[in-house]
Amino acid sequence: MARQPIVQAEPPDEDKKRDAALRPRLLREVIGQKSVKERMEILLRAAKKLKEPMSHMLFDGPPGLGKTTFATVLPNELGTSIQMTSGPALTKPADMLPFLTNAAEGSFLFIDEIHRMPRVVEEFIYPAMEDFRVDIVLGDGLNARTLSMPLKRFTLIGATTRSGMLSGPMRDRFKIHEHLDYYTLEELSEIVTVNARKLNTPITPDAAHELAKRARGTPRVANSRLWWARSYAVSESDGAIDLKLVLAALKMAEVDESGLDKQDRRYLEVIINVFEGGPAGVEAMAATMNLSVDTLSDDIEPYLLREQMLVRTPRGRMATLKAFQHLGKQPKKTDPESPQGLLFA
Ligand code: ADP
């Protein structure tokens, strides 16, 4: 009987452990994002000289590009602490209160997925961000009174994959906005090489390059491909990673030459086979794939859009000629005028 590859999707906790083990600790260890790094260096130097907390800042960009990394590097550089929470965990102002009152002078508070924070919590933290105070309402009805409580001066760092979903007033309260973009092949190769060293795993330059090539421009994906190649190397050979091993490991993991995995390809199959190339609404795509709209919009679509396998039109998502070709399919008709070789209806 043929051996069946068993490559299960790892639980998100596994991702978190791996991220923590491989995350750079200091700014100079952060690879790529040159201009963001340079601006952070200036702000850090200024904060040290002025002995003032850094301004509140917002990092946006697709998952796995280093938003949390930047957020954790800054307190390490300043020798201060960071508290971490996320938008969905903050359902009411009372959830936010302990973080604000525990914040030490000059420390950091990180809110991941800040676009998912409810409006009431958002409004509750406005005075904390602006004047370092919170207004707590005690009692209710005629007896209600507001107690204004001073806080220590802290820096709020928000991270979001959808800055467009953040309210205008919330966005305006962040004095610094940084957008993180996908990484180049060279940068990802360097990340793979550095992280292989951290994992005490020998790797050849061509193997690091191949892993980088299939990492969808994303350090977290590069880490996960490296982790898998390392397990494969330990299991199937002497633990060292060379090109031949990477090719075999990625074949087994069903990651193709463009770095697309099973889920990415399934997306393309659904839009091409079920929706005849589109246009398809994201809700319809999500329902057909049995995944959440957030997973599609945050994890799957950004890279397909960037690779021009997918385009967003007012009527919905459409697969491009490149997507058809990637799956070895022929579109019925294409529009020769369209740069992406879109189908016409
Ligand atoms: P995000 O918060 O944007 O989802 P993370 O900061 O958690 O992404 O990044 C995921 C992992 O990718 C990190 O643990 C780290 O190992 C790696 N990584 C991200 N950005 C960089 C970078 N610029 N240099 C080196 N490694 C990085």
Side-chain angles (χ1 to χ4, degrees), residues 110-126:
F110 176 65
I111 307 183
D112 201 6
E113 295 186 76
I114 195 163
H115 59 277
R116 292 175 66 190
M117 193 164 72
R119 196 52 55 91
V120 306
V121 181
E122 211 177 83
E123 283 166 5
F124 180 71
I125 63 172
Y126 291 161

Side-chain angles (χ1 to χ4, degrees), residues 31-323:
I31 295 162
Q33 307 292 350
K34 190 164 167 277
S35 49
V36 180
K37 258 176 82 171
E38 283 169 359
R39 286 190 287 272
M40 290 299 131
E41 267 160 23
I42 299 282
L43 293 170
L44 277 170
R45 224 172 289 140
K48 282 182 198 159
K49 285 195 179 164
L50 295 169
K51 298 196 171 32
E52 275 179 14
M54 295 178 87
S55 304
H56 303 308
M57 46 187 113
L58 182 69
F59 288 97
D60 86 84
L65 292 195
K67 299 181 291 297
T68 314
T69 299
F70 273 104
T72 49
V73 149
L74 300 175
N76 287 341
E77 291 282 352
L78 292 172
T80 175
S81 58
I82 182 164
Q83 302 181 81
M84 303 185 84
T85 182
S86 73
L90 302 166
T91 58
K92 51 190 184 307
D95 296 330
M96 190 69 218
L97 193 58
F99 291 106
L100 297 174
T101 53
N102 286 337
E105 180 75 20
S107 69
F108 288 76
L109 172 56
F110 176 65
I111 307 183
D112 201 6
E113 295 186 76
I114 195 163
H115 59 277
R116 292 175 66 190
M117 193 164 72
R119 196 52 55 91
V120 306
V121 181
E122 211 177 83
E123 283 166 5
F124 180 71
I125 63 172
Y126 291 161
M129 289 176 80
E130 280 176 349
D131 306 323
F132 301 109
R133 67 176 169 84
V134 272
D135 297 325
I136 303 168
V137 182
L138 299 172
D140 50 21
L142 284 178
N143 296 324
R145 62 198 172 88
T146 305
L147 185 76
S148 187
M149 211 167 93
L151 301 169
K152 303 272 170 40
R153 292 179 312 161
F154 66 96
T155 303
L156 182 70
I157 303 188
T160 179
T161 48
R162 315 247 194 110
S163 63
M165 273 174 73
L166 220 59
S167 75
M170 182 85 238
R171 217 185 355 249
D172 292 346
R173 281 171 174 82
F174 288 103
K175 296 295 165 244
I176 296 155
H177 292 195
E178 291 292 359
H179 174 72
L180 301 186
D181 219 331
Y182 289 104
Y183 289 64
T184 64
L185 204 54
E186 290 69 33
E187 290 162 353
L188 288 168
S189 267
E190 193 179 341
I191 292 176
V192 169
T193 308
V194 166
N195 288 346
R197 205 176 305 136
K198 282 189 194 167
L199 297 170
N200 290 321
T201 300
I203 187 164
T204 59
D206 55 356
H209 186 265
E210 192 62 34
L211 287 173
K213 217 175 88 190
R214 308 225 205 163
R216 301 159 105 254
T218 308
R220 180 177 290 133
V221 178
N223 285 348
S224 124
R225 307 275 189 256
L226 170 65
W227 207 272
W228 165 247
R230 176 177 172 256
S231 306
Y232 191 92
V234 170
S235 159
E236 303 296 294
S237 88
D238 59 357
I241 303 179
D242 62 15
L243 182 60
K244 194 163 155 246
L245 184 129
V246 164
L247 295 177
L250 292 181
K251 185 164 185 234
M252 191 182 212
E254 298 179 45
V255 172
D256 67 26
E257 287 83 41
S258 311
L260 303 192
D261 59 24
K262 244 176 10 187
Q263 192 152 281
D264 303 318
R265 281 194 304 275
R266 187 146 169 262
Y267 183 100
L268 295 180
E269 275 159 17
V270 167
I271 196 162
I272 287 172
N273 297 341
V274 182
F275 295 96
E276 298 180 324
V282 66
E283 285 85 8
M285 285 294 298
T288 313
M289 291 183 71
N290 204 15
L291 290 173
S292 73
V293 169
D294 281 357
T295 304
L296 259 53
S297 338
D298 286 353
D299 290 333
I300 304 180
E301 292 184 339
Y303 190 69
L304 297 176
L305 287 162
R306 183 187 174 235
E307 286 297 288
Q308 299 191 342
M309 292 199 194
L310 190 69
V311 284
R312 276 199 189 130
T313 73
R315 290 181 303 148
R317 277 74 170 151
M318 289 187 80
T320 63
L321 188 57
K322 191 172 170 193

